[in-house]
Amino acid sequence: MKMWYRHEGRSKASKLALEILEYVNEHLRGFEWRPRITSIGIRADCGDIYDFEVELEFSPGAFVVVRYGDCDDTERGGICTDSDAIGQAIFAVFEDFRNRGISALSAMLYDARHEALKTLSTWSGGATHAELVKPRLLRDEWCGRQEYLSDLEFRVLDNKLGPSELNIVADHPSLLNAKLKTHRELMDLRFARKTELARQGADGSIDQIAINAIAQRCDIADGIRWVANRTVEARHPDLYLYVRDGHIGCEGYDAQNSNFHWNGSSLTLWNCTLPEIAISQLAGQPITRLIEHPILSSDMIITEASSIEIGDQQAIQVNFDQPKRLFCKVSGRSW
């Protein structure tokens, strides 16, 4: 979803976002209070079909988001423009505000925030596994909901152990506790991992095979910085470097020999066979005893080996232990 934020200014808004902004502002003139549009999100699903998300600040620090899914004119009673459609969805919320009163909406927000903070405070004595950033009310007009959902934004650690956003939506504040608990194990893991890495002066760890693969393409430090700081993971035809909970691993195949494929600490040699007695003797041996390759090194020790057969293809599959180095994402240094 492409987002426009109020602080970016009108010059950064798309033509459609500006149409929505101007349409809503024009029709707000008749209201005794003026909520501000703080952001507009637009996602094009296909052709002229869009999904919208408009966030309103109805009083300082109090937010409501209206979501609307596009459809054809007949289902909307002849509405023919996107700005009309999302505008009417927002005005339905405005009328509801006027009928219920601002205090009723504030009470809903208070309940959601209260439940979230109570839950977070019980985790490791309040350690910052997650931080509540913004509590919002959600009106999903497309689903025909007449009530508001609790939509809470948290700051958590992502796969690279950096700050990221997590949104949790619940039908009622009382359900937030259970929803948060589904994320707790991962939050705890990443928090503990980041803490342990920090004790060693590191930002993350990396498989030796990933270091070897990077070395075939560029300077190792440059490659580590590229992977560790990139916001979007990128795949190449024969190599995929990924980050999982602060650890860099990789998978790929040899562009010159597609029978050679690896993934993390597993290696498959397609169209390759060995006598069973030879395979049984591989455990405990350096992987370079089985095959020589630039991404493999003698410090990778086979733990398990077996013959496999898929269709009419035979292969040897091995699992191996390998060194895991620490790294600094600023300098790219590994040790």
Side-chain angles (χ1 to χ4, degrees):
M1 178 171 283
K2 188 174 182 179
M3 297 297 298
W4 171 82
Y5 298 94
R6 186 181 188 88
H7 64 80
E8 295 176 339
R10 296 171 64 90
S11 62
K12 298 291 185 179
S14 66
K15 181 180 178 182
L16 183 51
L18 277 176
E19 287 180 7
I20 294 170
L21 185 65
E22 291 171 0
Y23 183 95
V24 172
N25 284 338
E26 175 66 25
H27 288 74
L28 279 174
R29 297 183 188 280
F31 286 83
E32 63 275 15
W33 49 277
R34 297 287 297 274
R36 299 193 312 162
I37 292 180
T38 53
S39 68
I40 298 174
I42 301 173
R43 176 171 51 235
D45 289 332
C46 59
D48 296 329
I49 304 301
Y50 299 95
D51 286 334
F52 299 94
E53 178 178 303
V54 178
E55 183 185 82
L56 304 157
E57 188 174 24
F58 62 86
S59 63
F63 299 90
V64 173
V65 60
V66 181
R67 290 182 186 159
Y68 170 83
D70 214 344
C71 60
D72 65 38
D73 296 346
T74 57
E75 294 183 39
R76 287 289 169 193
I79 296 172
C80 58
T81 69
D82 293 308
S83 56
D84 284 342
I86 188 63
Q88 290 204 14
I90 292 172
F91 297 146
V93 173
F94 289 171
E95 289 294 343
D96 194 44
F97 285 4
R98 185 148 55 187
N99 293 335
R100 296 193 191 206
I102 297 296
S103 59
L105 298 173
S106 296
M108 294 181 205
L109 274 173
Y110 168 80
D111 289 342
R113 182 176 184 274
H114 183 64
E115 289 297 325
L117 291 178
K118 280 200 307 183
T119 300
L120 294 181
S121 69
T122 64
W123 295 4
S124 300
T128 54
H129 300 67
E131 177 188 356
L132 179 60
V133 178
K134 182 191 290 185
R136 308 189 301 182
L137 298 178
L138 167 64
R139 184 70 170 266
D140 197 338
E141 197 274 345
W142 172 239
C143 296
R145 292 186 180 274
Q146 298 303 310
E147 295 301 322
Y148 295 92
L149 307 181
S150 299
D151 181 5
L152 279 75
E153 179 183 310
F154 297 87
R155 184 176 291 112
V156 297
L157 296 177
D158 61 14
N159 262 318
K160 297 184 178 181
L161 305 184
S164 182
E165 293 178 359
L166 169 68
N167 275 81
I168 294 181
V169 176
D171 290 327
H172 190 272
S174 61
L175 302 176
L176 285 171
N177 193 349
K179 289 217 167 190
L180 274 170
K181 283 182 177 178
T182 64
H183 298 274
R184 179 173 180 175
E185 183 177 348
L186 182 57
M187 292 177 184
D188 283 349
L189 183 152
R190 289 177 178 170
F191 184 81
R193 174 112 174 105
K194 186 178 180 70
T195 301
E196 180 57 31
L197 285 167
R199 289 194 184 107
Q200 302 175 75
D203 295 307
S205 58
I206 181 170
D207 284 339
Q208 184 64 49
I209 200 169
I211 291 177
N212 297 348
I214 290 171
Q216 302 306 305
R217 289 164 170 77
C218 65
D219 176 76
I220 294 174
D222 288 344
I224 289 176
R225 281 196 299 267
W226 184 83
V227 178
N229 294 292
R230 189 176 176 86
T231 56
V232 178
E233 292 184 350
R235 286 181 179 268
H236 296 280
D238 60 341
L239 177 65
Y240 172 43
L241 289 157
Y242 55 82
V243 187
R244 298 289 182 268
D245 301 326
H247 181 76
I248 297 176
C250 68
E251 66 172 295
Y253 65 91
D254 188 332
Q256 306 302 317
N257 178 11
S258 59
N259 290 326
F260 180 91
H261 178 268
W262 76 92
N263 186 353
S265 294
S266 177
L267 174 70
T268 305
L269 301 174
W270 291 101
N271 298 313
C272 180
T273 60
L274 279 176
E276 285 301 320
I277 189 168
I279 292 176
S280 67
Q281 294 173 347
L282 287 174
Q285 299 294 318
I287 200 167
T288 49
R289 293 279 182 90
L290 174 64
I291 184 172
E292 294 280 349
H293 192 277
I295 71 161
L296 303 177
S297 46
S298 59
D299 52 8
M300 300 174 186
I301 307 301
I302 296 173
T303 58
E304 185 181 7
S306 60
S307 295
I308 61 173
E309 186 173 343
I310 299 179
D312 59 353
Q313 283 192 304
Q314 291 184 316
I316 297 173
Q317 184 170 13
V318 299
N319 297 325
F320 55 91
D321 284 334
Q322 61 176 313
K324 299 184 187 303
R325 313 295 185 184
L326 300 175
F327 70 81
C328 168
K329 69 180 182 180
V330 176
S331 67
R333 178 176 174 267
S334 60
W335 65 95

